[in-house]
Amino acid sequence: STLKVTNLQKLDGSTFPVGKIGQVLQTTVTDTSSYSLSSDASADITGLSVSITPSSTSSKILITTSVTGSRSGDFPILTMFIKRDGTKIGSGVDSGNRFGATASNVIVQSDANSFTTVGNQFLDSPSTTSAVTYQIALNNNSGASRTLYVNRTEDDTDAVGTVRGISTITVMEVLA
């Protein structure tokens, strides 16, 4: 589902000054999904994207992300990154075999019913008044093929103590 807040005005009808939030959009994913990926392959998380049309070319977009999930294999790592219109942004720099991520976390046990949450914030300057789409993607930064799971554990056992999660992307236009 997507939440959109626009037309922020004071009670007296005047608008907020420069540097304030112009609009807020959020997409929330509660469905579970899995992605079988070869080593160093990436996949967009289905449904975890949001499009926003900045009101000015000088506006900035604050992106807040949160992804819950797990990965197959011992001591699994969950690694995510942000894309704007298909191009990776707000991430570290790829170097050799090292993947430039927005966020990554190790699940420090080999229990197939554990998972983690990764998230971050990034302030983007898209310099446009055309719609831009922000997408969250996963990367298998392992030396072997792995399955990455969103909003669930690897085994997803139907038992007390097993959890399921929520993943979100929120964008806010910061007026210039």
Side-chain angles (χ1 to χ4, degrees):
S1 62
T2 300
L3 169 71
K4 182 175 183 174
V5 178
T6 58
N7 301 326
L8 296 178
Q9 293 184 335
K10 297 178 185 178
L11 292 176
D12 66 5
S14 63
T15 58
F16 285 96
V18 170
K20 302 297 180 185
I21 302 301
Q23 55 181 318
V24 177
L25 301 166
Q26 181 181 69
T27 299
T28 300
V29 173
T30 56
D31 294 340
T32 62
S33 56
S34 61
Y35 304 88
S36 297
L37 300 173
S38 59
S39 177
D40 200 34
S42 299
D44 292 348
I45 299 174
T46 302
L48 200 52
S49 66
V50 64
S51 294
I52 187 169
T53 304
S55 61
S56 169
T57 57
S58 57
S59 290
K60 297 187 182 308
I61 306 297
L62 180 62
I63 308 151
T64 304
T65 61
S66 178
V67 177
T68 60
S70 61
R71 186 186 82 184
S72 62
D74 289 342
F75 304 104
I77 299 171
L78 190 64
T79 301
M80 56 82 66
F81 61 101
I82 303 168
K83 297 193 303 186
R84 181 197 339 117
D85 293 336
T87 300
K88 185 167 68 166
I89 62 166
S91 298
V93 177
D94 294 341
S95 178
N97 290 316
R98 295 166 295 234
F99 181 78
T102 300
S104 186
N105 198 10
V106 178
I107 303 169
V108 291
Q109 57 182 334
S110 57
D111 180 354
N113 276 305
S114 62
F115 77 175
T116 190
T117 300
V118 293
N120 211 333
Q121 287 188 321
F122 179 69
L123 187 62
D124 187 34
S125 300
S127 301
T128 186
T129 56
S130 297
V132 291
T133 299
Y134 294 97
Q135 171 73 52
I136 305 303
L138 297 173
N139 181 263
N140 175 22
N141 57 321
S142 166
S145 294
R146 299 280 188 232
T147 301
L148 284 72
Y149 303 95
V150 174
N151 295 336
R152 56 163 277 196
T153 64
E154 180 181 359
D155 280 357
D156 197 33
T157 303
D158 186 10
V160 173
T162 302
V163 295
R164 286 197 166 174
I166 184 173
S167 298
T168 63
I169 179 172
T170 305
V171 294
M172 295 182 243
E173 180 183 12
V174 181
L175 303 174

